[in-house]
Amino acid sequence: MVAVNILRLRFKQLGDYSFSLALCLLMVAGCAENATSSSKPENVVDEKSGTPAKIRDFCPRDKSYDFLEYRIAGVPDEEVVWSGEEMVEAVRGLYSLNLTNTERLPRYESEMSGEVFSRLTASENLKMYQDQSLSLDQRLSDALKHLKSVNEIMELYVIAFEEQAVGDNEMIELFGAQLRVMTTTLDLLIEFLATIDKDDPTYDVRVQGMVRAKEGAYGMVETLLDLLEDSQDYRPDVRKRLLGYMQDSLPLLIPLLTQEQQAHLQELMHACQKDPQLQELQPELGDLLKALEEPNEVIPSETR
């Protein structure tokens, strides 16, 4: 796994650019290209020290707080839908509780904190961005806050994952949340760019920003495909769940990318489909390809 200080350096290199999550995923994937489905944890060796690497605990002991402790820290009510502003408040609350103790982060399906974690990653939080009664400026501004907040929450969980304080379930759910909010935000950014007059002195700068946004989105998808091979850190059933989230989002996201990016991702996905090491991820892997070829037949993962 990549050291936490290197992870932080990579985030700093990307500045405050919202699509920095692509590199976050690359770090958490644990250099997935070096992992195979046939890898045995007891044979994994740390490249620097030459000693056996620490075996991944997929389900660390739950030491999270109950919902009242998060409320006291400033995390909003998990029973209501969160806007971007409320996601910002959630980030403040989580950082105040967990800067030195990542074991206290909310956990997936936890009896103590499961409802809080579910709200952090809920697709329901994104519904307001489709509300045409709200101005485009209002929706985009809030979506950018939401995306930035999800990225900051992921930073906390990356450190916790390195420390084995959280497991693969939490990471996959956050990947799904990032993918959803990135798809929504990129769509709003494209809609916003179309409203800018080409004679506007800021137009060229905004176009370059859109180019970088698409590169970030492309990089994230590419990294998620690499992650599918990481059997050391993610169990097959959890990676299958990620494929479900990809099936929900990629038919909407990929058409927003450049033709070259779309073509390359299609090549990578077909290579994954043929990879004998990934056959344990069938039929979900094949379902993803079918959804991309027939986007009108996408079935939301929560109903599958």
Side-chain angles (χ1 to χ4, degrees), residues 109-290:
E109 294 188 344
S110 162
E111 291 184 3
M112 296 289 289
S113 60
E115 291 184 5
V116 177
F117 184 84
S118 179
R119 176 53 61 194
L120 286 173
T121 59
S123 58
E124 184 183 19
N125 293 335
L126 306 180
K127 287 184 178 180
M128 68 168 288
Y129 306 128
Q130 308 303 322
D131 185 353
Q132 298 299 315
S133 68
L134 302 175
S135 71
L136 176 57
D137 285 350
Q138 183 179 353
R139 287 180 285 137
L140 178 56
S141 175
D142 198 83
L144 288 170
K145 291 177 184 177
H146 198 125
L147 177 59
K148 184 174 185 292
S149 297
V150 171
N151 293 346
E152 290 173 343
I153 290 168
M154 176 60 100
E155 288 188 57
L156 271 179
Y157 278 83
V158 166
I159 297 170
F161 194 61
E162 287 277 348
E163 297 174 351
Q164 301 215 40
V166 300
D168 55 355
N169 275 318
E170 285 78 26
M171 302 311 297
I172 291 300
E173 291 302 310
L174 283 165
F175 293 153
Q178 284 185 313
L179 188 57
R180 288 189 291 271
V181 69
M182 185 177 66
T183 300
T184 297
T185 305
L186 183 58
D187 188 39
L188 290 171
L189 284 168
I190 291 173
E191 185 180 350
F192 174 75
L193 184 61
T195 68
I196 305 299
D197 192 302
K198 293 184 179 181
D199 293 329
D200 188 305
T202 67
Y203 183 77
D204 289 342
V205 174
R206 295 179 189 274
V207 169
Q208 289 304 310
M210 179 58 65
V211 170
R212 293 194 300 273
K214 290 185 178 183
E215 288 173 350
Y218 164 80
M220 179 182 181
V221 178
E222 189 176 41
T223 303
L224 287 176
L225 292 173
D226 284 341
L227 187 147
L228 294 177
E229 300 180 11
D230 188 355
S231 60
Q232 293 177 14
D233 294 318
Y234 302 93
R235 292 166 291 177
D237 63 314
V238 175
R239 283 178 283 148
K240 284 186 174 185
R241 194 161 76 242
L242 173 61
L243 280 166
Y245 297 146
M246 294 170 73
Q247 182 177 337
D248 292 345
S249 294
L250 294 192
L252 303 173
L253 175 62
I254 290 181
L256 303 178
L257 305 180
T258 67
Q259 291 296 319
E260 182 180 359
Q261 290 167 344
Q262 292 182 44
H264 188 226
L265 289 177
Q266 287 285 356
E267 289 178 7
L268 292 177
M269 290 178 196
H270 281 286
C272 288
Q273 174 76 351
K274 297 176 182 178
D275 189 341
Q277 297 177 349
L278 296 181
Q279 293 311 299
E280 64 183 351
L281 302 183
Q282 298 291 1
E284 286 81 359
L285 189 54
D287 291 342
L288 172 60
L289 278 173
K290 182 178 179 182

Side-chain angles (χ1 to χ4, degrees), residues 95 97-103 163:
Y95 269 79
L97 285 172
N98 300 288
L99 279 175
T100 58
N101 190 353
T102 56
E103 292 180 331
E163 297 174 351

